[in-house]
């Protein structure tokens, strides 16, 4: 693989993707998924990675030295990634063990939920090595069972169909119990969102627990109640959950019971958050703390503008429901919306509702979702704790 003139910069700075347009020449006849070397025009080695002629990202870099990509290589990457998470197991038994590019294994996500692993394959280069990688995970991490959750549309960009199913050991139970700080949750590895749970919000849920004492809390886009349960454990006076899926709401209700919070004053509204927040405003309801954790509004660069309008709108609706001095815990998980753009949407929202507001904390995805310094694309979740007057 010979890099085109003037296109070696990102690789030299260790960015792990080589786009189609950056390749001047393909030497030999590499098959999809094969290990290839990327060289400059003089033939100097730049990087080694796996190849996919059907993807715009033709090569994903595995190493910037000419090392063998064999079983030991993958095992070492797994060990290094898992080692970096070891401290987290004091807090939780649900942890992202492998975060794709940022852990040197582009295209692979591996999450541990108690005794089970749930993983996602996003690229062809990983797909062709799946059996080896599953075997290594089984040996290194000793799970009771391993489940694949590659049922995601982005695989089409690599020429892959969605796939899911049980691949090793025991079948996961339909409700796998995990702990997160003082909280317990049930996770459905087979059909829960992502690989089962929003592990990326762990630190922010724990933060909510710290600041919820005595507060009336509104948990919007609540999924199975992660934020609201932590608010309850932190001594919230009440929690109102808003979520469009009635099934997720039922799980949220069960989670309160599971956490000994059946006495908590709680409400559950199944519906569209935008409409429901408007209705609460018309009913003159007020809260001390509003959590907004919407789904991804922008899937690509073209959708960023619409997404920003969405973020502004939902934050207007959230801010209007806050008492003076109340707190807004607000997030965006759209990778294409930068922290800066998201903040601009929040500034516009505050200005529209004529409320003064200040940032108390800037928030990000949890530390088991690291972001490679040379891979800014890995940063997708950002949020703010804002006090609104
Ligand atoms: N806060 C949750 C994760 C939220 S994910 C946690 O910590 O676990 C976003 C959730 O918003 C999903 O559960 C999805 O079903 C829900 N959702 C998506 N669009 C919605 C809408 N318009 N109104 C209400 N809920 C919505």
């Amino acid at each position: 693989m010979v890099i085109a003139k003037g296109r070696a910069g990102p690789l030299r700075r260790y960015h792990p993707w080589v786009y189609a347009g950056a390749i001047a020449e393909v030497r030999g006849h590499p098959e999809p998924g094969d290990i290839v070397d990327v060289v400059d025009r003089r033939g100097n080695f730049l990087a080694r990675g796996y190849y996919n002629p059907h993807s715009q990202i033709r090569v994903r870099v595995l190493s910037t030295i000419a090392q063998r990509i064999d079983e030991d290589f993958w095992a070492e990457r797994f060990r290094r990634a898992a080692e970096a998470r070891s401290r987290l197991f004091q807090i939780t038994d649900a942890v992202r063990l492998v975060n794709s590019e940022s852990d040197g294994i582009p295209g692979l996500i591996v999450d541990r939920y108690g005794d089970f692993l749930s993983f996602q394959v996003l690229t062809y280069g990983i797909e062709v090595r799946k059996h080896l990688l599953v075997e290594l995970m089984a040996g290194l991490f000793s799970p009771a069972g391993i489940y694949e959750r590659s049922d995601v549309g982005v695989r089409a960009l690599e020429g892959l169909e969605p796939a899911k199913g049980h691949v090793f050991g025991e079948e996961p139970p339909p409700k796998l119990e995990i702990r997160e700080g003082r909280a317990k949750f049930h996770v459905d590895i087979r059909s829960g969102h992502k690989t089962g749970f929003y592990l990326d919000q762990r630190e922010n849920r724990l933060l909510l627990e710290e600041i919820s004492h005595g507060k009336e809390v509104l948990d919007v886009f609540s999924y199975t109640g992660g934020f609201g349960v932590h608010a309850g454990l932190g001594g919230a006076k009440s929690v109102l959950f808003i979520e469009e899926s009635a099934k997720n709401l039922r799980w949220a209700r069960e989670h309160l019971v599971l956490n000994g919070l059946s006495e908590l004053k709680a409400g559950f509204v199944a519906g569209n958050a935008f409409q429901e927040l408007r209705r609460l405003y018309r009913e003159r309801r007020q809260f001390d703390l509003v959590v907004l954790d919407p789904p991804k509004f922008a899937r690509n660069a073209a959708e960023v503008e619409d997404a920003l309008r969405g973020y502004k709108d939902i934050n207007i609706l959230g801010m209007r429901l806050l008492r003076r001095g109340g707190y807004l815990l607000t997030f965006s998980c759209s990778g294409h919306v930068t922290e800066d753009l998201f903040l601009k949407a929040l500034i516009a929202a505050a200005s529209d509702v004529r409320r003064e507001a200040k940032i108390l904390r800037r928030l990000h995805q949890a530390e088991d979702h690291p972001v490679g310094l040379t891979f800014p694309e890995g940063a997708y979740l950002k949020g703010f704790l804002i006090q609104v007057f």
Side-chain angles (χ1 to χ4, degrees), residues 143-157:
I146 306 182
Y147 199 84
E148 176 170 12
R149 284 299 304 276
S150 305
D151 47 333
V152 284
V154 290
R155 274 168 59 103
L157 300 175

Side-chain angles (χ1 to χ4, degrees), residues 76-96:
E76 184 50 32
R77 290 279 154 108
F78 276 137
R79 268 194 291 268
R80 197 206 290 174
E83 171 61 26
R85 276 74 175 180
S86 52
R87 194 182 53 82
L88 275 179
F89 286 94
Q90 294 169 15
I91 309 168
T92 181
D93 57 1
V95 167
R96 175 150 301 185

Side-chain angles (χ1 to χ4, degrees), residues 12 32 37 51 54 66 72 112 114 119 147 164 180 187 213 221 249 257 271 324 338 343 352 355 378:
R12 291 194 199 281
D37 282 353
Y51 176 62
H54 305 300
D72 287 346
R112 180 182 262 285
F119 72 101
Y147 199 84
K164 68 184 260 187
E180 179 176 87
V187 174
H213 191 81
F221 304 101
L249 267 187
V257 178
R324 297 225 169 269
T338 59
L343 186 56
D352 264 37
R355 302 281 293 263

Side-chain angles (χ1 to χ4, degrees), residues 193 198 205 221-223 227 243-244 248 271-273 293 295:
H193 291 190
Y198 288 90
R205 286 188 291 260
F221 304 101
S222 56
Y223 187 46
F227 277 101
E243 157 66 40
E244 72 178 3
N248 290 339
N272 181 300
D293 186 20

